[in-house]
Amino acid sequence: MLTSIVVKQLPRASTRSLRPIPAAITRLQPHRLYHETPHSRASVETARSLNPTDPFASLPPAWSGPPTTNLKGIRPRLDVTKRVFNPSYYTAVAEIMKLRSKYITNRSIFVEGSDMVPLLLGLGATRADLDALQRVSNNLYSDPTLPFRRSRNGRFCFDFSTRSVRRLEFQPFALSVEEDFKRHDSGQIRVFDEVQDELQLNTAFQALLVFKGMICHGVQTTHRPRLDYSSDKWVCTLFNLRTVTTPSILGEPALEGVHTDGVDHTMTTYLGSKNMDLAANSAVTFMHDMNEETGAKYTEIKPQNLRSRVQHRHFLDTLLLVDTENKHSLSPVLPVDETKEATRDMLIFFTRRPVKKGDGGHISENIDSFRPHEELPMEVPLFLPGAIYGKDE
């Protein structure tokens, strides 16, 4: 049970009133509020000039195997179809299917990084790309609304008709209060800098996409209003995030408190941290019953609504949860050395069905394009559970 302990107040970079943070989990000196939101390098004019059309009107042709050639030459990619004669591939598939069964039963799973490594290698990731993945967050830019975060994002389509996942064109991003996301920027159309080839062409990252597709394909979940559950295409919005705590500002991975992500399936993968005090319960994820109050801080949750807690500690530690059936919250990033910056790097995969066109009312209806990205193309084949048995799950 959560216990009541002595607290001291720390200012937060938000418009919410300040709330106490348990002294047992933070040793930070008093912070001053940071009132200015940095401007993202991403072009707001680009977002304003968008003219979204029917997202199903310009779908790319079915994936046909060989990579395409463009001005950048051959696009390297992971290809699970070429792993069929490798024993490690079948070992990885068997282990992933066991995790999938647990996911279906428990509605969430936490996979330690030491277990993720052989799974990704079995799917075709290279060790060089595993190493490179730990450095990709060094090239992030300032976040459009959170001064303690650096970010990039990109949109992908899980297309189960072509059995592939492909990069989609740039679109802005938004979450609303109606999607159980209550924060000072709820309902805002946010523009992020785009994920580049450095990440999307990394075979370890591509293997993570394949892994998520294998776990989530065919899994029945509670439906969200105004999403098209008859579609065989899913939108996956990928965020590469670095949460930063400095002597002057507290970095909170979930400033919004208890929330859902407005999707069907959420996956979070840990890339690394510097000067983050794991022993002080930094960045612990708490999973809650859906009855928990949206917007409540993790220190305010009711013990009877707390389902479980996990802490990403090691490279590739990965959490998957059914977002429509689990709310979650996180504790802040706390430093070992309070005089220095502390950072936490993550990949966040939001995956949902597309918004119903013409239904009205969903904040993402006009920013839900399925057109492929022309400047940053990427497409890799998927392994679908059930396909090997000749059935459609």
Side-chain angles (χ1 to χ4, degrees), residues 58-75:
S58 302
L59 292 175
W63 180 82
S64 57
T68 57
T69 302
N70 59 16
L71 294 178
K72 295 185 179 181
I74 301 298
R75 309 287 289 178

Side-chain angles (χ1 to χ4, degrees), residues 101-169:
S101 294
K102 291 180 181 179
Y103 186 66
I104 292 172
T105 300
N106 300 331
R107 317 311 280 173
S108 67
I109 54 173
F110 183 77
V111 189
E112 294 187 1
S114 58
D115 295 323
M116 286 294 294
V117 169
L119 299 182
L120 301 186
L121 291 174
L123 293 175
T126 66
R127 291 195 177 275
D129 279 353
L130 286 173
D131 292 339
L133 195 60
Q134 299 179 68
R135 300 186 296 272
V136 71
S137 303
N138 294 334
N139 296 321
L140 299 178
Y141 289 107
S142 46
D143 190 272
T145 61
L146 299 178
F148 53 78
R149 196 168 78 174
R150 300 164 194 164
S151 59
R152 286 183 185 268
N153 86 346
R155 300 170 62 252
F156 298 82
C157 170
F158 282 97
D159 188 339
F160 296 116
S161 64
T162 61
R163 298 183 181 179
S164 64
V165 56
R166 71 178 70 92
R167 180 74 182 269
L168 298 177
E169 69 174 353

Side-chain angles (χ1 to χ4, degrees), residues 33-296:
L33 274 174
Y34 189 98
H35 295 289
E36 296 183 4
T37 301
H39 296 291
S40 171
R41 289 181 65 255
S43 171
V44 176
E45 288 73 21
T46 299
R48 291 174 177 170
S49 67
L50 291 175
N51 182 26
T53 58
D54 182 354
F56 299 101
S58 302
L59 292 175
W63 180 82
S64 57
T68 57
T69 302
N70 59 16
L71 294 178
K72 295 185 179 181
I74 301 298
R75 309 287 289 178
R77 56 161 169 72
L78 184 100
D79 189 348
V80 294
T81 66
K82 295 182 178 179
R83 302 284 296 167
V84 294
F85 298 110
N86 192 312
S88 66
Y89 171 69
Y90 293 99
T91 300
V93 168
E95 291 302 316
I96 294 171
M97 291 303 97
K98 292 177 184 177
L99 293 171
R100 171 182 159 85
S101 294
K102 291 180 181 179
Y103 186 66
I104 292 172
T105 300
N106 300 331
R107 317 311 280 173
S108 67
I109 54 173
F110 183 77
V111 189
E112 294 187 1
S114 58
D115 295 323
M116 286 294 294
V117 169
L119 299 182
L120 301 186
L121 291 174
L123 293 175
T126 66
R127 291 195 177 275
D129 279 353
L130 286 173
D131 292 339
L133 195 60
Q134 299 179 68
R135 300 186 296 272
V136 71
S137 303
N138 294 334
N139 296 321
L140 299 178
Y141 289 107
S142 46
D143 190 272
T145 61
L146 299 178
F148 53 78
R149 196 168 78 174
R150 300 164 194 164
S151 59
R152 286 183 185 268
N153 86 346
R155 300 170 62 252
F156 298 82
C157 170
F158 282 97
D159 188 339
F160 296 116
S161 64
T162 61
R163 298 183 181 179
S164 64
V165 56
R166 71 178 70 92
R167 180 74 182 269
L168 298 177
E169 69 174 353
F170 167 80
Q171 297 269 258
F173 179 80
L175 281 174
S176 64
V177 174
E178 290 74 17
E179 296 168 290
D180 286 317
F181 184 83
K182 188 184 295 184
R183 200 169 71 187
H184 68 281
D185 54 356
S186 295
Q188 288 187 26
I189 303 299
R190 290 179 275 160
V191 178
F192 292 84
D193 287 279
E194 293 192 79
V195 164
Q196 301 296 305
D197 282 347
E198 176 186 27
L199 178 59
Q200 74 163 3
L201 297 185
N202 181 295
T203 57
F205 167 73
Q206 294 173 350
L208 283 168
L209 286 172
V210 173
F211 171 82
K212 184 170 188 183
M214 293 172 69
I215 295 289
C216 298
H217 173 253
V219 175
Q220 297 299 312
T221 66
T222 301
H223 288 191
R224 287 192 178 275
R226 303 186 182 93
L227 297 187
D228 183 4
Y229 285 90
S230 67
S231 175
D232 56 5
K233 298 172 179 63
W234 294 0
V235 178
C236 178
T237 304
L238 176 280
F239 285 89
N240 183 192
L241 302 176
R242 171 171 286 180
T243 303
V244 183
T245 287
T246 71
S248 61
I249 191 168
L250 179 66
E252 298 192 65
L255 178 64
E256 59 275 12
V258 174
H259 69 286
T260 71
D261 298 315
V263 297
D264 298 310
H265 305 276
T266 293
M267 185 171 90
T268 61
T269 298
Y270 178 78
L271 299 183
S273 62
K274 291 183 179 179
N275 193 36
M276 185 172 77
D277 195 344
L278 293 168
N281 289 320
S282 282
V284 172
T285 301
F286 301 89
M287 283 175 281
H288 313 284
D289 185 273
M290 293 299 287
N291 292 321
E292 185 56 76
E293 178 187 358
T294 297

